[in-house]
Amino acid sequence: MKYVWIVLCLLFVTSVDSQAQSVDEEIGRAVMAAPPAMRTDAAVVRLADDGSHEVLREGSNGLVCYDRSNEPGRDFSAQCTSVRNLPRAGQNHKVWMSSANAEEARVMFESQESDGSREAPQFGSVWYTLAGSNQASASENSPHITIAVPFSTSDTLGLPSEGSYSQSGSWIMEAGTSAAHIMIPGR
């Protein structure tokens, strides 16, 4: 009987240790998208399928990061943005998790936009996204950077509505919607 308790205790300690290690790994994956100077003080959350979130690590610099690799059609994806954008990030995640593919997600986002239920991001907030076919390939890339400018247009910002990832100059995408954002070329 004594040996059974020892084995059970060892299994429990091993289980707790592996859970802590996997949370540490999840935090490490999530903050990969953050600028290096902001990683240490960024909050990290785990997004649930219903759009809610669990705090894995508190932060102090206003940035929040999360791993999106479990979303359909993604291999490895981490994203960071302002903590004020958590409602939008949660809504995005809920749509992706309930969609069979990108087209279905697009239709759901358009429906939310049309009926006014689409969460708007904080104006001027930055979204850092790092993606790849796996964590190793993603870490070789620079983050994709956009700046949220909800409901802005080319006329209101004076930016073109078209651009190129391989040319100099920013442009506005999804103008006039809650998803309007300034594209930063580079990747």
Side-chain angles (χ1 to χ4, degrees):
M1 184 70 163
K2 180 179 176 181
Y3 294 111
V4 171
W5 280 110
I6 291 172
V7 169
L8 287 175
C9 287
L10 287 173
L11 287 173
F12 176 76
V13 169
T14 303
S15 172
V16 168
D17 185 51
S18 69
Q19 286 176 342
Q21 187 176 23
S22 97
V23 168
D24 289 343
E25 290 171 357
E26 187 172 353
I27 290 169
R29 287 189 307 270
V31 299
M32 284 176 64
M38 298 179 79
R39 288 180 184 160
T40 301
D41 296 323
V44 179
V45 299
R46 178 184 298 134
L47 297 172
D49 292 359
D50 68 358
S52 64
H53 66 273
E54 171 188 357
V55 176
L56 301 180
R57 183 178 82 186
E58 296 289 340
S60 61
N61 63 4
L63 193 70
V64 63
C65 303
Y66 40 89
D67 186 352
R68 300 174 60 205
S69 302
N70 65 334
E71 293 178 354
R74 301 196 194 283
D75 295 317
F76 176 86
S77 183
Q79 191 166 59
C80 301
T81 189
S82 166
V83 294
R84 293 174 59 189
N85 289 333
L86 267 175
R88 173 115 176 163
Q91 186 180 51
N92 289 347
H93 190 71
K94 182 178 180 178
V95 166
W96 281 109
M97 296 309 287
S98 62
S99 301
N101 54 49
E103 177 60 21
E104 193 174 306
R106 184 191 62 74
V107 169
M108 291 174 79
F109 287 133
E110 285 179 359
S111 174
Q112 290 174 341
E113 195 73 39
S114 293
D115 70 18
S117 64
R118 189 84 167 103
E119 294 283 346
Q122 176 188 12
F123 190 94
S125 60
V126 179
W127 294 74
Y128 304 95
T129 305
L130 188 63
S133 58
N134 55 45
Q135 186 172 340
S137 70
S139 66
E140 296 171 3
N141 296 324
S142 298
H144 175 68
I145 301 171
T146 62
I147 300 171
V149 290
F151 308 108
S152 297
T153 65
S154 290
D155 291 335
T156 61
L157 291 182
L159 289 172
S161 59
E162 294 183 17
S164 169
Y165 292 103
S166 61
Q167 300 292 315
S168 177
S170 297
W171 69 96
I172 188 170
M173 285 186 76
E174 300 187 56
T177 71
S178 69
H181 57 279
I182 299 171
M183 296 296 298
I184 309 297
R187 201 186 121 240

